[in-house]
Amino acid sequence: MSIQYGEPDMAGSYGVADSFPKDFGYGGDEAGIDDDSSASADTQPRILLMGLRRSGKSSIQKVVFHKMSPNETLFLESTNKIHKDDLSGSSFVNFQIWDFPGQVDFFDPTFDDEMIFTGTGALIFVIDAQDDYVEALGRLHGTVSRAYRVNPHINFEVFIHKVDGLSDDHKMETQRDVYQRANDDLADVGLEKLHLSFYLTSIYDHSIFEAFSKVVQKLLPQLPTLENLLNIFISHSGIEKAFLFDMVSKIYIATDSSAVDMQSYELCCDMIDVVIDISCIYGPIEDGGAYDKESLAIIKLNNTTVLYLKEVTRFLAVVCVLREESFERKGLIDYNFHCFRKAVHEVFEVGCRTPRNGGRPDDSLTSSTSTTSSSSTTRALNHRNYASHNGSMM
Amino acid sequence: MEKMSRVSTALGGGGGGAVSGRTMFCHLDAPANAISVCRDASQVVVAGRNIFKIYALEDDQFVEKLNLRVGRKPSLNFSCADVMWHQMEENLLATAATNGAVVTWNLGKPSRNKQDQLFTEHKRTVNKVCFHPSEVHMLLSGSQDGFMKCFDLRKKESVSTFSGQSESVRDVQFSMKEYFTFAASFENGNVQLWDIRRPDRYERMFTAHNGPVFCCDWHPDDRGWLATGGRDKMVKVWDMSTTRAKEIHCVQTIASVARVKWRPERKWHLATCSMMVDHNIYVWDVRRPFIPFATFEEHKDVTTGIAWRHQHDPYFLLSGSKDSTLYQHMFKDASRPVDKANPEGLCFGLFGDLAFAAKESLISSEANRKPYPGGDRRYPIFFFKKPDLTEQFAHVSSALSVFETGLESGRMDWFSRTARRYLLCGKPFAELCDHNAKVAKELNRPQVSTTWTMVRIMFSDPANPNLSAKLGTLPLMNSFSMKDMGACPDMGACPDMGACPAERGKEGRSDAAHLEPGTSHISNNDDNEETEGSDGQAEYMFGDAELDDDDLYSVEHDNPAEDQEYTLPQEAFPLRHEILDNPSAPEPLQQDKAESPHVSGGEAEATCLTPIESCSLISATQPLYSAHLPAGFFCPVVRDMLRYYAEQGDVQMAVSVLIVLGERIRKEIDDLTQEHWYTSYIDLLQRFELWNVSNEVIKLSTCGAISCLNQTSTTLHVNCSNCKRPMSNRGWVCDRCHQCASVCAVCHHVVKGLFVWCQGCSHGGHLEHMMHWLKSSPHCPAGCGHLCEYT
């Protein structure tokens, strides 16, 4: 329990708003992350985006991480060199997105697969579903088997992309077909253990964000802890659904364990847009950023639903969907959120202090760290007595 | 096993009589997440994040039996995501906790805390626990962390772990019939089949849904059917008995499907509830996937758990909801959407085809009784649905008939042909009307044709006896039958015309009643004096009409000179004389007459009037009215008629009549309406590429806004023929080269009028001069040596 670390920060964060150093959102934990990332940019886990040319890799990257409107992606030039996009400065997703040009040749001797695949956490292979994907499958097979030989810990994710143009039946058929062929190819060369995950995505709806969320969540050793925290938070506050959002990319890095309904997710995404836009217009100019410590938004919809957004860390915010009658106990929610926020900070603090070993998020060391942190925060939460519905804290 | 079968047979024999009850509910303290029924259908357990209680099911109420959530400070292990009551061992319960714990409970324990075993092997929320249907100690769990674990309750930890390859597990279900098999559904849309003995790899996997699969349920009979429900709002039924999972039924619901449960003893029925938005519970017949067989609408919030009360009784459904209620639904109290659904459907195709679906019984009787009205061809196609065997779901066969309309009626041929053939100017008014009436008649539009005839009669100049005698005798006679004022009240009641004709008839009559002959006389004189050179005639006319009102034809014969007068002003304006004419029927009568061929069924008396009858009427009525009718008498009627046509979509008729009638009617209609009609008609004409007609209409229009249309988009550039520069001012002299620009090559004078020039050498001159010159010589008159050609 990092009282000595957390408490002053919390006090600062809750008391005086303007006393923050500009460079770092808040105290030592964030600074630690930043230092770490800048020092070891090459060793932190990477997400690689690969696929045939014109399959939509750059579009995905631009839409998800650079807020490009999907329609504008039509005018993107084709990528002809590896585009390294380091998001550690702006987004919680502490990974690098390497956007590969479609025509990269792995058999080129200058192609250093050791270097590339060693630090890679996830490899996203993009297949254009509207095109003939036989060639793409061949490339997928080559890429994946090669990467697997170098680094078997990579998560292999296949985005069956541009499905917005397909009918529902056709989508399923395509997914089934791609799945079947890809796995048959792998089985032929004895790589049954290699697991491919498939997602149907499109940049014209939220499916790409959801798929990316899943990809990022898999690389996140703290995920179970965060999920438990959210579970506890919402069950004690009468909240229906809560997401922990990365504000920049609108991907959710954790949610409570109830099923994600696309509508609520889209609603929350839209809310983030609204909040960012409004604070861009009316926010204080000197801070520059549209999202800061004070960010808090409540939107009441006319169907007795309330959306509640509050800052958690410099990159993260909790967005909750709840009913109006639950929102009557706003003090309770605020208090519980306060506890939750503290716990999240502790979780990432622990994560910071343990030495990172790049590219292997499922490594025993990291996961054990996360479990300890989990149990400790859970204990902390129990200690601090989440005020519950009928609790006495009110 | 023996015990169970005994119970079931007892119940099955009773046919549901063993368990009695009614629709009832009780309030829970907190939202429920899941419910489960004990084997003998006497108790139900409700679990949620803040609740874990057992209720006894009595005849008319729920009675709380036991609160399992004990202790001063409940641990997170009590926060249940799922609960299952063992179907073999009635004291055994299992719950799945949101913190990843799997807990078993033994109700036989003497202490207050009934917790039996605690497995904390899952790292994330456990979404589902499932007991083996026939094995007492075997428990299966599926978790968010992607693993399924099989527990032997005699051991402290799991006996085997199945990895779904890092996708979250949403549901696990042991197969009813195959001892070792279980199905698991995943958030990425896959469904996997596992053999409990082989934890290393799934037996089979297929993609079932687009998006997460939230639930699955094996069919209680041994068909190897698996129902799955997902976020894509579908419920799918898979046949797992073949080597490749085959989708055999698919039900589309309106919200993502959270739970699905087969209905006991009903082969095709299953119950679903949704995850968001929709609070109802639906029971579907999978063979009829478009409408729920039954709906339970009691819950105020999302239903989270459903269970059939007894596994052999299809009439009791229990459900728990987020609105903190626990319900028992009786099947007889369910609402049946099919009763409220409209069994008829009607739809128009792109080309005017009409599809009509109705209950088979309905349509077959109807088809015999009444053929498609006006339809020359009829192609009914019949689709029969398979009849439903269960008596509860009504016989659902329906028939679909498709009526293809004749090609002509769908097309707009009549429009372009009418537009081309109509004469709008260039002839005397009566001739125009007659011509147009003829055109309309030939194009099989009797109503329009009659309208033209009527217009002619109303406004025509009595000086054209020949024409009216020649062309319009019969129509005239017909229309005379209408002018019978006695028929007017009847017309008001005519069903097809509705309110409009009534109004028109009224207006016409009231006009006639109010206008004194003297005043109308004066006003008409004034009008006529303004028109050029026709004062005398008009006065004479008027007087004539007054004098000879008993004989229409004599009036017409008396004015032979009028003919000449009317041909003159045709180009600039249509006829301007407002001449009192013989009174004729108010317009609606005409329309009724015209429409009557279309409309089957009872009509007003007007249609019964034969020409002969009406002839007799003429003599009786005409003298009474014709004398007192001023020139503007028909204008309101005609105005309403035009409006009627425009509203009917036949703006062509409105505009054509407007043009042909010209001044007679123009003042009656406000400019904006006229302009609107004109623009619509011109737009239509241009869409049909009838440029000439549209141009004529523009030219003939009296609206300023319309007639300037031709000027706006036409630009004329004039260049000097000597220096080839644009001519700046309007003179005949080019200000650059100071020469006359358009000089006739023959006479060397400036051409002020038609200038014709050779396109080869660009020399030219007066038309006649050039014609003359080129008749005599093939060479250019300017002497350039070009061999000009005049065609």
Side-chain angles (χ1 to χ4, degrees):
Chain A
M1 219 114 348
S2 55
I3 303 295
Q4 73 280 28
Y5 222 85
E7 287 301 326
D9 276 343
M10 292 306 141
S13 70
Y14 268 81
V16 204
D18 296 329
S19 66
F20 279 107
K22 267 190 187 169
D23 317 20
F24 307 119
Y26 24 36
D29 50 344
E30 288 291 328
I33 288 177
D34 277 5
D35 286 346
D36 187 34
S37 65
S38 55
S40 56
D42 274 348
T43 54
Q44 57 175 264
R46 278 189 292 265
I47 295 177
L48 304 183
L49 265 176
M50 292 180 163
L52 290 187
R53 69 194 177 288
R54 310 226 37 88
S55 56
K57 302 173 293 299
S58 303
S59 303
I60 292 176
Q61 191 227 352
K62 291 282 182 198
V63 167
V64 175
F65 293 102
H66 296 276
K67 291 196 126 203
M68 184 180 271
S69 138
N71 296 316
E72 289 170 36
T73 58
L74 286 175
F75 308 110
L76 282 178
E77 297 282 325
S78 66
T79 317
N80 43 26
K81 66 179 182 52
I82 294 177
H83 176 83
K84 292 184 192 177
D85 195 11
D86 193 354
L87 295 160
S88 55
S90 63
S91 161
F92 170 83
V93 183
N94 212 357
F95 308 108
Q96 290 177 310
I97 312 291
W98 285 29
D99 187 9
F100 276 78
Q103 59 276 13
V104 70
D105 181 11
F106 293 104
F107 303 99
D108 190 335
T110 58
F111 185 81
D112 186 358
D113 51 2
E114 284 284 341
M115 185 275 287
I116 287 173
F117 291 127
T118 309
T120 297
L123 191 156
I124 299 173
F125 195 91
V126 185
I127 292 177
D128 182 351
Q130 294 185 13
D131 206 2
D132 181 26
Y133 44 76
V134 174
E135 189 191 351
L137 284 172
R139 174 66 72 90
L140 168 71
H141 178 69
T143 310
V144 160
S145 50
R146 200 172 166 97
Y148 186 75
R149 257 171 231 126
V150 176
N151 180 0
H153 296 285
I154 297 179
N155 294 337
F156 294 102
E157 322 281 353
V158 181
F159 284 8
I160 301 168
H161 196 50
K162 304 187 192 176
V163 291
D164 46 278
L166 305 181
S167 70
D168 280 347
D169 289 347
H170 199 169
K171 276 184 202 170
M172 299 284 307
E173 205 46 54
T174 310
Q175 183 176 2
R176 245 175 255 162
D177 192 41
V178 169
Y179 170 84
Q180 196 60 45
R181 290 186 193 209
N183 279 323
D184 288 353
D185 284 352
L186 290 175
D188 287 347
V189 293
L191 287 173
E192 284 100 342
K193 276 190 181 164
L194 198 161
H195 175 70
L196 300 173
S197 309
F198 293 87
Y199 306 87
L200 293 168
T201 60
S202 158
I203 54 172
Y204 291 95
D205 55 27
H206 287 76
S207 58
I208 187 67
F209 291 95
E210 203 191 20
F212 238 100
S213 303
K214 295 262 175 69
V215 170
V216 170
Q217 283 172 22
K218 279 190 202 169
L219 297 174
L220 208 65
Q222 297 95 338
L223 178 66
T225 316
L226 293 174
E227 186 180 281
N228 274 340
L229 286 173
L230 280 166
N231 274 339
I232 299 165
F233 173 52
I234 68 167
S235 64
H236 285 90
S237 314
I239 293 170
E240 301 217 322
K241 185 79 191 154
F243 294 95
L244 192 57
F245 266 103
D246 178 35
M247 284 298 275
V248 168
S249 57
K250 288 187 288 182
I251 61 182
Y252 63 95
I253 63 159
T255 179
D256 64 294
S257 55
S258 64
V260 178
D261 182 77
M262 216 50 189
Q263 276 170 313
S264 351
Y265 176 58
E266 286 167 12
L267 212 54
C268 294
C269 282
D270 293 347
M271 185 191 190
I272 291 179
D273 283 338
V274 168
V275 168
I276 296 283
D277 289 351
I278 290 198
S279 65
C280 270
I281 298 171
Y282 298 107
I285 306 149
E286 63 268 17
D287 284 16
Y291 175 73
D292 58 21
K293 292 212 52 54
E294 291 289 287
S295 289
L296 162 69
I298 296 157
I299 297 180
K300 291 191 180 181
L301 306 179
N302 61 3
N303 61 350
T304 72
T305 307
V306 177
L307 300 176
Y308 178 90
L309 178 147
K310 208 158 157 62
E311 178 262 4
V312 175
T313 75
R314 194 151 67 106
F315 308 122
L316 299 181
V318 159
V319 185
C320 309
V321 182
L322 62 157
R323 301 227 161 230
E324 241 166 28
E325 52 263 31
S326 319
F327 196 68
E328 282 161 12
R329 291 184 289 259
K330 183 163 180 301
L332 175 87
I333 294 172
D334 284 341
Y335 178 77
N336 283 343
F337 176 81
H338 177 73
C339 299
F340 169 76
R341 185 175 183 277
K342 210 179 258 182
V344 171
H345 278 264
E346 281 168 24
V347 167
F348 287 120
E349 225 168 86
V350 175
C352 263
R353 279 199 231 112
T354 54
R356 262 171 206 283
N357 40 357
R360 299 175 66 178
D362 50 347
D363 185 272
S364 58
L365 182 56
T366 328
S367 56
S368 71
T369 317
S370 83
T371 35
T372 52
S373 77
S374 150
S375 57
S376 77
T377 46
T378 314
R379 239 181 320 123
L381 288 166
N382 288 340
H383 267 288
R384 289 203 186 102
N385 255 333
Y386 254 107
S388 67
H389 273 320
N390 38 8
S392 52
M393 294 304 288
M394 286 298 288
Chain B
M1 213 48 199
E2 278 171 32
K3 222 201 273 177
M4 206 177 92
S5 58
R6 184 164 50 80
V7 172
S8 67
T9 46
L11 265 170
V19 187
S20 64
R22 61 182 183 90
T23 298
M24 57 185 181
F25 74 101
C26 73
H27 281 290
L28 312 171
D29 305 329
N33 271 350
I35 61 170
S36 184
V37 194
C38 85
R39 185 191 58 192
D40 59 3
S42 62
Q43 294 180 66
V44 59
V45 59
V46 183
R49 272 177 176 147
N50 297 308
I51 186 175
F52 189 22
K53 283 181 181 173
I54 291 175
Y55 286 87
L57 289 159
E58 297 192 353
D59 274 358
D60 48 3
Q61 62 179 349
F62 290 100
V63 177
E64 182 179 329
K65 277 292 230 205
L66 190 61
N67 186 356
L68 291 157
R69 209 176 148 83
V70 291
R72 196 176 52 82
K73 194 162 54 182
S75 87
L76 287 171
N77 296 341
F78 288 94
S79 174
C80 302
D82 190 36
V83 64
M84 172 121 182
W85 203 315
H86 203 293
Q87 293 303 305
M88 297 288 299
E89 177 60 66
E90 56 192 20
N91 279 334
L92 197 56
L93 288 162
T95 59
T98 45
N99 66 346
V102 175
V103 192
T104 59
W105 310 79
N106 187 353
L107 301 181
K109 268 193 172 183
S111 69
R112 217 169 133 245
N113 189 350
K114 312 283 187 192
Q115 185 172 333
D116 192 14
Q117 293 232 57
L118 177 67
F119 305 98
T120 51
E121 295 185 28
H122 286 294
K123 264 192 278 176
R124 295 172 66 184
T125 300
V126 179
N127 286 320
K128 187 75 188 171
V129 284
C130 182
F131 281 112
H132 197 279
S134 51
E135 192 66 51
V136 179
H137 298 289
M138 199 183 284
L139 175 67
L140 190 67
S141 69
S143 157
Q144 195 86 0
D145 61 13
F147 293 103
M148 294 143 280
K149 286 179 189 285
C150 182
F151 302 96
D152 187 329
L153 299 184
R154 293 161 294 195
K155 290 183 182 171
K156 286 286 170 207
E157 51 199 29
S158 63
V159 286
S160 49
T161 301
F162 311 88
S163 168
Q165 300 280 20
S166 73
E167 307 293 346
S168 295
V169 186
R170 274 290 159 188
D171 201 355
V172 284
Q173 290 287 345
F174 274 109
S175 168
M176 289 291 177
K177 298 295 166 186
E178 284 171 61
Y179 188 86
F180 294 110
T181 309
F182 71 89
S185 72
F186 291 81
E187 280 212 340
N188 61 351
N190 289 341
V191 170
Q192 296 179 352
L193 243 58
W194 289 80
D195 188 318
I196 202 90
R197 298 161 294 187
R198 283 198 59 197
D200 56 330
R201 194 171 167 80
Y202 49 81
E203 296 269 284
R204 189 194 297 177
M205 168 164 123
F206 60 95
T207 307
H209 289 266
N210 178 15
V213 188
F214 289 137
C215 50
C216 59
D217 195 31
W218 289 96
H219 198 283
D221 298 339
D222 55 343
R223 261 189 301 271
W225 281 14
L226 182 72
T228 60
R231 196 174 71 181
D232 58 359
K233 305 176 185 174
M234 309 262 209
V235 178
K236 292 182 179 176
V237 179
W238 304 86
D239 185 1
M240 309 297 278
S241 53
T242 53
T243 51
R244 187 183 154 88
K246 203 174 77 190
E247 182 186 327
I248 44 177
H249 292 289
C250 178
V251 177
Q252 175 89 46
T253 68
I254 59 168
S256 47
V257 182
R259 310 265 170 175
V260 55
K261 281 269 178 282
W262 286 101
R263 188 174 174 206
E265 309 284 302
R266 288 290 178 278
K267 186 177 164 189
W268 308 99
H269 290 190
L270 48 80
T272 67
C273 66
S274 80
M275 179 152 286
M276 295 279 280
V277 186
D278 188 16
H279 308 160
N280 298 343
I281 303 166
Y282 298 105
V283 178
W284 299 88
D285 186 311
V286 290
R287 295 162 303 170
R288 194 174 173 183
F290 306 107
I291 189 161
F293 170 54
T295 311
F296 300 101
E297 294 160 340
E298 279 86 357
H299 283 298
K300 303 280 185 299
D301 202 338
V302 174
T303 309
T304 47
I306 48 176
W308 293 97
R309 184 166 165 187
H310 193 274
Q311 53 185 335
H312 293 286
D313 182 358
Y315 299 105
F316 291 81
L317 181 69
L318 298 166
S319 68
S321 159
K322 267 195 193 166
D323 63 5
S324 308
T325 54
L326 173 68
Y327 258 95
Q328 172 174 276
H329 308 278
M330 296 292 294
F331 218 85
K332 61 177 163 57
D333 295 337
S335 70
R336 303 294 180 93
V338 75
D339 296 339
K340 296 178 209 154
N342 181 4
E344 281 93 35
L346 186 71
C347 190
F348 269 110
L350 182 61
F351 298 107
D353 294 352
L354 182 73
F356 177 66
K359 270 187 187 162
E360 193 201 338
S361 50
L362 212 68
I363 203 163
S364 56
S365 58
E366 195 128 312
N368 295 334
R369 190 159 45 87
K370 191 177 157 193
Y372 177 54
D376 32 2
R377 282 176 290 170
R378 184 164 168 269
Y379 302 100
I381 304 160
F382 290 98
F383 296 111
F384 292 102
K385 282 192 174 175
K386 261 192 288 180
D388 198 329
L389 294 175
T390 55
E391 62 274 10
Q392 286 124 329
F393 216 6
H395 194 63
V396 291
S397 65
S398 62
L400 174 73
S401 356
V402 176
F403 303 103
E404 286 184 10
T405 46
L407 287 176
E408 290 80 20
S409 64
R411 287 207 205 135
M412 288 285 278
D413 274 356
W414 58 269
F415 178 86
S416 46
R417 280 162 71 186
T418 317
R420 252 186 243 118
R421 294 177 54 188
Y422 265 3
L423 280 182
L424 300 178
C425 68
K427 281 193 177 169
F429 167 72
E431 256 179 83
L432 291 179
C433 289
D434 281 328
H435 174 86
N436 292 347
K438 213 171 82 185
V439 168
K441 195 164 202 168
E442 278 167 24
L443 292 173
N444 206 12
R445 302 175 69 212
Q447 182 185 353
V448 174
S449 164
T450 325
T451 308
W452 278 112
T453 318
M454 278 313 297
V455 167
R456 195 203 66 205
I457 292 165
M458 282 191 245
F459 289 91
S460 104
D461 139 39
N464 285 325
N466 309 331
L467 268 175
S468 50
K470 190 173 66 195
L471 289 169
T473 318
L474 190 59
L476 221 53
M477 285 319 222
N478 272 335
S479 56
F480 275 140
S481 78
M482 300 307 176
K483 97 184 143 66
D484 169 24
M485 289 313 229
C488 273
D490 296 330
M491 296 332 293
C494 180
D496 283 302
M497 293 311 293
C500 288
E503 265 172 36
R504 278 178 225 153
K506 215 164 53 194
E507 248 175 86
R509 268 175 288 130
S510 63
D511 276 356
H514 288 303
L515 287 174
E516 292 290 311
T519 51
S520 62
H521 184 150
I522 290 161
S523 65
N524 275 289
N525 265 344
D526 288 346
D527 276 353
N528 287 335
E529 265 159 19
E530 282 163 20
T531 60
E532 353 146 0
S534 59
D535 319 21
Q537 269 167 340
E539 263 188 335
Y540 155 71
M541 275 277 303
F542 201 78
D544 209 12
E546 265 187 334
L547 290 171
D548 299 326
D549 51 3
D550 55 337
D551 188 358
L552 169 74
Y553 296 108
S554 70
V555 176
E556 287 174 338
H557 285 289
D558 279 343
N559 288 297
E562 278 296 296
D563 210 353
Q564 286 298 319
E565 183 66 26
Y566 280 120
T567 48
L568 287 177
Q570 283 295 338
E571 254 196 63
F573 289 106
L575 310 177
R576 298 188 61 185
H577 296 271
E578 290 172 353
I579 293 157
L580 195 71
D581 198 10
N582 48 341
S584 82
E587 182 48 35
L589 301 183
Q590 276 313 298
Q591 286 163 0
D592 279 331
K593 183 72 176 174
E595 272 185 356
S596 56
H598 292 293
V599 183
S600 60
E603 279 293 316
E605 294 93 299
T607 50
C608 309
L609 291 176
T610 62
I612 298 121
E613 277 174 309
S614 56
C615 278
S616 63
L617 281 169
I618 297 171
S619 56
T621 56
Q622 195 189 340
L624 289 177
Y625 291 96
S626 58
H628 312 291
L629 293 177
F633 177 73
F634 294 110
C635 288
V637 179
V638 174
R639 180 193 62 205
D640 290 339
M641 181 268 289
L642 293 186
R643 292 235 169 93
Y644 168 78
Y645 273 112
E647 269 162 33
Q648 294 292 306
D650 190 1
V651 77
Q652 179 178 49
M653 186 63 190
V655 172
S656 305
V657 173
L658 195 62
I659 291 175
V660 169
L661 281 177
E663 286 293 301
R664 292 179 184 86
I665 191 71
R666 220 182 76 204
K667 292 197 194 86
E668 292 288 325
I669 297 161
D670 64 297
D671 286 347
L672 273 180
T673 314
Q674 287 194 37
E675 192 182 321
H676 180 62
W677 289 351
Y678 273 118
T679 39
S680 317
Y681 186 41
I682 290 165
D683 188 47
L684 264 176
L685 287 172
Q686 289 179 345
R687 272 162 203 272
F688 281 96
E689 304 184 351
L690 297 162
W691 315 111
N692 291 340
V693 184
S694 107
N695 198 41
E696 192 189 0
V697 169
I698 292 174
K699 204 180 83 188
L700 289 172
S701 78
T702 45
C703 285
I706 300 300
S707 45
C708 72
L709 275 181
N710 265 356
Q711 286 148 29
T712 49
S713 56
T714 313
T715 322
L716 199 63
H717 295 283
V718 186
N719 283 26
C720 173
S721 59
N722 295 319
C723 60
K724 309 281 193 288
R725 304 249 183 82
M727 305 260 292
S728 52
N729 54 8
R730 300 200 172 169
W732 305 104
V733 179
C734 171
D735 34 333
R736 287 204 177 71
C737 53
H738 300 291
Q739 278 187 340
C740 283
S742 45
V743 178
C744 175
V746 183
C747 69
H748 296 283
H749 284 112
V750 175
V751 185
K752 295 178 178 175
L754 274 182
F755 182 84
V756 65
W757 73 95
C758 165
Q759 292 196 338
C761 65
S762 80
H763 292 115
H766 292 105
L767 178 60
E768 308 110 81
H769 294 175
M770 293 304 286
M771 276 170 68
H772 276 294
W773 180 272
L774 289 170
K775 266 180 199 160
S776 54
S777 157
H779 290 278
C780 176
C784 66
H786 187 256
L787 286 170
C788 299
E789 215 173 301
Y790 180 84
T791 49

